[in-house]
Amino acid sequence: MAESPVLLNKHEVERLLSYDDLIPRLESVMGKFSKRDSSEMIQPVRSVVPIQQHSGFLGVMPAYLAAEGILCTKMVTFYQRPEGSSLPSTQATVLLFHPEHGHVTAIMDGEAITAKRTAAVSAISAKLFMPALSEVLCILGSGQQARSHYDVFTKVFKFKEVRVWSRRREMAHRFVNDLQGPVRVCSSVKEAVTGADVIVTATGASEPVLFGEWVKPGAHVAAVGACRPDWRELDDVLMRGAVVYVDSREGATAESGDIILSGAQVFAELGEVINGSFPAQREKTTIFKSLGMGIQDAVSAKLVLEKWNSKH
Ligand SMILES: NC(=O)C1=CN([C@@H]2O[C@H](COP(=O)(O)OP(=O)(O)OC[C@H]3O[C@@H](n4cnc5c(N)ncnc54)[C@H](O)[C@@H]3O)[C@@H](O)[C@H]2O)C=CC1
Ligand SMILES: O=C([O-])C1=[NH+]CCC1
């Protein structure tokens, strides 16, 4: 009989998952994904069940990585919550299966995985696409993703200035009070992004919050929100004027309102740049449109389980 699955809560997952371990695994898996070898890796576009009545959705994100021996699925819900709600907007659970026998080997919190792997992938995009001399980081939003992006961007890069904007100024102050380093709270998006070299958009918005006319030419935008075909974070001017990179072409054309509704062309996947099959156009204004991928969750969960196994 199969052993009982390992159960790991959010606190344990957070403790076991470090950016230093995560970043190289994500670079490697995204590079492999972009080679589209289905004997190596299978990851369908996420299935989404909209819950219109409650402004939410359930996403199911399976992935199989043959060489790594990972069979995994994440189930994630996202709800557009009222400001200051005590409930998290993004909640998730990850299941790991034994790829040969099919039983579940681990059930773990997916909130920490989602927060960290998304931010780590954005940091990989910034490493490739942000201007060579990047001094100013700007984060739009003050929720879970904003926090994980702050953590990894200030860990991996050295910015002279970090700015944050949030819909309610009080939430931006609460965000900043929780941090160690200096961050300037801005009272408008325009003030926050003007002159910024790197801009992270991590909001629950469904209409554009970031407008191209405010963005410095050559800046890099890591766009994490707006993951439904009719949701936007970025306006048409920005989308059409920048070089657009995505995590997966299939995901982007099925799910990204910023891409579908603006008619912007996707230049390349992040993995295609990692592979060297497409260039990183660092000197131009660049957007990395992130939607999230099951393979990212899969390698993150495997890493967590390896760490846990090494101590038990
Ligand atoms: N690309 C990816 O892999 C992932 C993307 N996401 C997306 O990232 C975004 C943020 O997620 P979380 O940080 O978990 O949510 P959260 O609820 O913790 O934070 C959302 C932030 O957006 C702000 N916001 C909400 N509605 C807004 C609006 N209409 N205009 C401006 N600001 C608004 C809130 O004030 C808050 O600061 C969501 O859109 C979510 O779907 C989440 C997980 C993974
Ligand atoms: O990849 C992911 O887990 C998500 N993307 C958008 C909401 C959740």
Side-chain angles (χ1 to χ4, degrees):
M1 210 174 87
E3 278 183 29
S4 301
V6 173
L7 291 175
L8 297 172
N9 63 26
K10 183 174 177 190
H11 174 72
E12 283 172 303
V13 173
E14 228 156 33
R15 190 175 56 81
L16 293 168
L17 197 57
S18 81
Y19 286 116
D20 288 340
D21 294 328
L22 194 50
I23 289 172
R25 297 251 182 144
L26 288 167
E27 278 170 336
S28 162
V29 80
M30 293 190 70
K32 274 192 186 175
F33 173 83
S34 289
K35 293 185 176 152
R36 293 296 189 284
D37 179 351
S38 60
S39 67
E40 275 278 319
M41 212 173 271
I42 300 174
Q43 183 214 256
V45 174
R46 126 179 89 212
S47 295
V48 174
V49 178
I51 310 152
Q52 255 158 12
Q53 208 181 349
H54 300 294
S55 306
F57 67 79
L58 165 69
V60 182
M61 304 175 65
Y64 175 48
L65 286 68
E68 288 80 1
I70 312 177
L71 179 61
C72 178
T73 192
K74 182 170 84 174
M75 287 146 295
V76 58
T77 57
F78 178 75
Y79 286 75
Q80 289 178 307
R81 307 262 189 225
E83 205 74 47
S85 165
S86 59
L87 294 169
S89 306
T90 308
Q91 299 172 85
T93 302
V94 179
L95 300 186
L96 280 172
F97 300 82
H98 193 290
E100 192 181 347
H101 304 302
H103 60 273
V104 175
T105 55
I107 304 171
M108 64 183 80
D109 164 80
E111 225 175 285
I113 286 180
T114 305
K116 286 194 173 182
R117 64 73 154 143
T118 309
V121 171
S122 295
I124 296 168
S125 84
K127 199 161 65 166
L128 293 166
F129 307 134
M130 72 185 192
L133 183 65
S134 283
E135 298 187 330
V136 180
L137 167 68
C138 166
I139 300 177
L140 304 182
S142 59
Q144 292 189 97
Q145 288 293 338
R147 178 55 201 256
S148 56
H149 279 73
Y150 172 84
D151 289 344
V152 72
F153 275 68
T154 54
K155 177 179 166 54
V156 173
F157 309 111
K158 293 274 166 282
F159 293 103
K160 280 195 178 154
E161 187 184 345
V162 183
R163 304 172 189 165
V164 67
W165 169 86
S166 194
R167 216 167 25 157
R168 263 178 48 199
R169 202 178 161 83
E170 164 202 343
M171 301 306 281
H173 281 292
R174 196 183 289 181
F175 178 82
V176 165
N177 289 342
D178 234 28
L179 307 172
Q180 306 298 334
V183 182
R184 180 155 76 85
V185 171
C186 296
S187 47
S188 69
V189 176
K190 185 175 176 189
E191 179 196 340
V193 304
T194 299
D197 301 294
V198 180
I199 302 167
V200 173
T201 59
T203 75
S206 43
E207 301 292 334
V209 291
L210 180 60
F211 292 82
E213 62 177 303
W214 301 333
V215 175
K216 172 167 132 177
H220 175 57
V221 179
V224 164
C227 54
R228 300 292 298 139
D230 55 348
W231 291 4
R232 302 291 300 266
E233 266 192 323
L234 316 179
D235 81 337
D236 285 353
V237 172
L238 181 55
M239 286 305 298
R240 293 191 195 137
V243 183
V244 178
Y245 297 89
V246 296
D247 44 14
S248 122
R249 290 178 189 270
E250 294 88 341
T253 44
E255 292 193 323
S256 168
D258 285 327
I259 289 172
I260 298 164
L261 300 175
S262 69
Q265 294 300 304
V266 171
F267 177 69
E269 290 181 344
L270 187 59
E272 290 172 320
V273 179
I274 292 169
N275 285 339
S277 42
F278 278 82
Q281 299 196 47
R282 202 188 264 285
E283 68 294 349
K284 302 225 177 106
T285 305
T286 51
I287 294 169
F288 170 59
K289 178 60 227 158
S290 161
L291 289 151
M293 298 168 76
I295 55 163
Q296 299 164 355
D297 300 311
V299 293
S300 307
K302 174 82 181 306
L303 192 52
V304 169
L305 188 61
E306 278 172 15
K307 290 270 170 182
W308 189 86
N309 282 337
S310 71
K311 295 189 172 104
H312 292 88

